Amino acid sequence: MANKGLQLLGFMLSLLGLIGLIVGTILPQWKMSAYVGDNIITAIAMYQGLWMSCAFQSTGQMQCKVYDSILQLDGALQATRALMIVAILLTVAGLGVASMGMKCTNCGGNDKVKKARIAMTGGIILIVGALCSIVACGWFTNQIVRDFYNPFTPVNTKYEFGAAIFIAWAGAFLDIMGGGMLAASCPKGKPSPRYPKSSKAPSSSGREYV
């Protein structure tokens, strides 16, 4: 059985990972304008996220605009949106399931083996959710790199990695660590009781008479 401290640590890491996923999904800094080439303009910094694009001026003002239509977005952005939402929902579900199987809670009954299996199931759900977010971040990162090194991409439309994508990466890895600790609650089978074999033959209670 995994001890109570390991389960609690895994739950806290997964909770921090969930916060990281939510913050990373909401923030618009998934990619930011790259200052390359001869014509460098630093007065305005352009950011693009999963839900909006923003322009940050050197005066400290930021103007954001939500994407008007989903159909106008490229496939990579739509897939990243969907995977991040699925990752957040799975993480929430995994935390709920794991909380019922932890030793420090009263949910799930008093059967220790049953509670350990519930915690293990929650950990597996958390790992699946983290993998969804890793795929989403990797897909979006690959798109940024391909557009950056594409010679046909205009210089003023090239982007590099923003802060939000690193926050999402961190949340995903925290979820994997927490889910792995909770999945380590996999119970071992109960050992079957072994009785010592008697070396003496059972004595007869009486004699037979003809």
Side-chain angles (χ1 to χ4, degrees):
M1 292 288 183
N3 55 44
K4 187 184 300 184
L6 185 63
Q7 289 183 343
L8 188 59
L9 179 60
F11 186 86
M12 294 304 297
L13 288 176
S14 300
L15 185 60
L16 291 175
L18 174 62
I19 296 174
L21 291 179
I22 294 175
V23 172
T25 304
I26 294 175
L27 287 179
Q29 290 90 355
W30 274 70
K31 60 181 181 180
M32 57 181 296
S33 54
Y35 302 110
V36 293
D38 299 330
N39 187 15
I40 299 177
I41 302 176
T42 58
I44 299 177
M46 300 297 298
Y47 297 98
Q48 287 190 9
L50 302 181
W51 312 99
M52 65 185 71
S53 60
C54 298
F56 184 78
Q57 301 179 1
S58 58
T59 57
Q61 297 179 349
M62 178 180 286
Q63 296 179 349
C64 298
K65 181 182 179 182
V66 181
Y67 298 132
D68 296 328
S69 176
I70 300 179
L71 301 178
Q72 294 179 352
L73 304 177
D74 56 353
L77 184 57
Q78 294 184 21
T80 305
R81 268 186 175 185
L83 286 172
M84 290 302 295
I85 293 175
V86 171
I88 292 174
L89 293 178
L90 285 176
T91 304
V92 172
L95 287 173
V97 173
S99 64
M100 294 188 296
M102 294 174 63
K103 292 183 178 180
C104 57
T105 61
N106 296 325
C107 302
N110 297 324
D111 190 352
K112 294 182 178 180
V113 176
K114 181 180 178 181
K115 286 178 68 69
R117 289 176 178 172
I118 294 175
M120 180 192 65
T121 304
I124 294 174
I125 296 174
L126 287 169
I127 293 176
V128 174
L131 291 177
C132 290
S133 59
I134 289 176
V135 171
C137 294
W139 197 337
F140 199 87
T141 301
N142 180 62
Q143 188 68 30
I144 295 175
V145 173
R146 289 178 58 186
D147 292 341
F148 186 87
Y149 289 106
N150 188 358
F152 298 102
T153 302
V155 176
N156 58 348
T157 59
K158 290 188 176 183
Y159 291 87
E160 59 185 0
F161 307 134
I165 197 169
F166 294 107
I167 296 175
W169 276 112
F173 284 112
L174 286 174
D175 271 347
I176 285 185
M177 293 175 60
M181 292 179 182
L182 289 167
S185 303
C186 179
K188 297 181 180 180
K190 292 184 178 179
S192 57
R194 296 180 180 179
Y195 300 99
K197 295 181 179 179
S198 176
S199 58
K200 297 182 180 180
S203 58
S204 58
S205 58
R207 295 181 179 179
E208 294 182 357
Y209 297 94
V210 178

